[in-house]
Structures are given as C-alpha cells and as structure tokens.
Amino acid sequence: MKAQGTPIQWIEPGEEKGQGRAIRFRLPNGYPFEIYYDIEKPKAPEDKKSRLKNNVYRPSNGIAPRRIDHVNVWTSNPGEVHQWLSDNMGFKMRESVRLSNGFVAGGWMSVTPLVHDIGVMLDPKGQSSRLHHLAYYMDNVTDILRAADILREYNIPLEMGGPGRHGISQAFFLYVKDPGSGHRLELFSGGYLIFDPDWEPIEWSEQELDSGLIWYGPQGSMEDTTPC
C-alpha cells in the first residue's frame, strides 16, 4: 500500500480494547479501513454459556444474529473504489449494476465465498463516503420474521415496512435503524456461496435495477442515512 502512495497508520496493541497490532488507512475517496489479526475471544459468563461446545451463548430471547455478514457503503465514484479494492485488497466483483450511460452504479465484492463482503454503491446525494448499512447474518428466514416481531414489540420501525428479498445476492432482508446511533442495520439471511474459481461477475442493467435491489417485498426509499 505504501508503494501505491497510501498513508499507513500503525495501531499498537492496547490502543483498541481486545485488539492486537493493526494498520489503519483510507481509500482514495476517504473510506477508513483497519486490518488486524489478533483479537481477544471473550468467553460467555457461566450462567449464559451454551452446553453446545461449538456455540458460545445459550439461545437468547433477543434477535441473536449469528455473525457480521457485510458492510454497504456509498460514494460518488463506485468504480474507483471497486478498482482499488481489486488491485490492492484482492476483492473480486460478484455482481454489479451498470447504468445506460455505461457508469457502474454499484458493485458487490468479496474475498471469501460470500456473495459480498462489501457493497459499494453510487450515493444519490453525491457525497464521497457514507455508510449505508452494516449487515448481520441470521440462520434462516424464520429468524428474520421473528426479528421483525421483536422489533415491532419494542416499537422500533422497520424501514420500508418489513422483510423482503434481494435479487442481487438472493438473500432475505430486513432493514432497521439503530435507535442509539441512527445507523442502518440489515438483518440478512440466505444468499448463495461462490466456490467456482472461474466465477464470472453478474451484471445488471439500469432497467433491471428494481428487480436486482428488491426481488419482492417492501418498496421504499433508503436514501436517508448516517454519514461515516
């Protein structure tokens, strides 16, 4: 990265709780990135520990997502970010959207078999770097529906009205704003995995965009978002 002219900041152990040495840098459009290897893995308290040895906590009464799945960010020039992630971080394009004028308005990329670890999309407000959402993975669709019930019980609004399914990634989704931070969260289940080493990226046209973003389910705008 230094050879590419990217400034690097070293984060020493102890500067961030539970995390070992890391490097911090920014993409050309300002997105902050941090890469680390060592991190503490706290154990569950005895009264909450699962008897299932490959599970940390016993079943919860809350939504209880399984893991972080991906992050989605907005920028004024997605193609530039896609290229940088490909050239410098080894990300592979899995699916993308190309407008009628040839401009790439969105790309879903990964370095794992997931259909995307990061989504980079065109910001409708023209800003260079904004967070759209952080996604948590749920084991199945019924977990998404249960999460919707829990959120409604606590009077937390569901964005666009409720669950649906994406065309891009084929996953079921539910969007909600975190009441504390205002950041958008996605509860995400399903999708597909990519194990083919010769995978060819799937491209959606501008005319196909509606089906790509919302295959079926709630319709509405998600343009209001919290800046990074």
Side-chain angles (χ1 to χ4, degrees):
M1 292 182 189
K2 287 184 177 179
Q4 300 295 325
T6 304
I8 299 296
Q9 177 187 359
W10 283 99
I11 308 301
E12 298 300 329
E15 289 189 47
E16 295 192 8
K17 186 176 181 179
Q19 181 179 295
R21 201 175 190 218
I23 57 172
R24 185 181 295 166
F25 57 94
R26 289 183 179 271
L27 272 60
N29 70 327
Y31 287 142
F33 264 60
E34 187 168 307
I35 300 176
Y36 61 87
Y37 181 78
D38 292 317
I39 193 165
E40 291 181 8
K41 298 178 180 178
K43 297 181 179 180
E46 285 299 321
D47 61 337
K48 296 182 179 180
K49 184 178 179 181
S50 175
R51 291 174 58 204
L52 186 62
K53 298 191 73 171
N54 51 14
N55 209 16
V56 179
Y57 285 86
R58 65 180 57 167
S60 168
N61 292 328
I63 292 173
R66 176 68 68 178
R67 56 176 169 79
I68 293 175
D69 189 85
H70 65 268
V71 64
N72 188 296
V73 293
W74 275 352
T75 184
S76 54
N77 189 352
E80 177 186 38
V81 179
H82 298 154
Q83 193 65 52
W84 197 95
L85 290 172
S86 175
D87 292 345
N88 296 281
M89 303 289 290
F91 279 81
K92 296 179 181 180
M93 183 66 72
R94 303 307 194 179
E95 301 198 43
S96 64
V97 173
R98 187 179 298 273
L99 303 182
S100 299
N101 62 7
F103 188 82
V104 177
W108 289 259
M109 308 180 74
S110 70
V111 291
T112 68
L114 297 179
V115 64
H116 65 311
D117 298 310
I118 187 170
V120 182
M121 299 174 62
L122 177 65
D123 188 332
K125 295 183 179 179
Q127 296 188 28
S128 62
S129 56
R130 287 202 294 166
L131 172 68
H132 188 270
H133 67 262
L134 175 71
Y136 289 98
Y137 187 80
M138 313 295 293
D139 282 337
N140 53 60
V141 179
T142 56
D143 289 332
I144 298 285
L145 299 177
R146 178 175 173 271
D149 284 338
I150 292 172
L151 292 166
R152 291 293 295 124
E153 286 284 354
Y154 286 91
N155 292 317
I156 299 175
L158 310 180
E159 288 204 304
M160 301 188 301
R165 190 183 190 198
H166 293 305
I168 295 169
S169 81
Q170 298 186 24
F172 287 87
F173 68 87
L174 174 66
Y175 290 105
V176 63
K177 286 281 188 72
D178 172 50
S181 68
H183 289 301
R184 176 177 295 107
L185 303 177
E186 180 182 23
L187 302 178
F188 184 93
S189 182
Y192 60 89
L193 299 175
I194 298 171
F195 298 106
D196 185 353
D198 297 324
W199 175 267
E200 296 182 5
I202 296 169
E203 185 174 281
W204 297 72
S205 70
E206 185 172 354
Q207 292 72 30
E208 298 168 324
L209 182 55
D210 286 346
S211 295
L213 294 180
I214 308 293
W215 179 238
Y216 57 77
Q219 303 292 324
S221 172
M222 293 187 295
E223 292 191 4
D224 292 329
T225 189
T226 304
C228 287

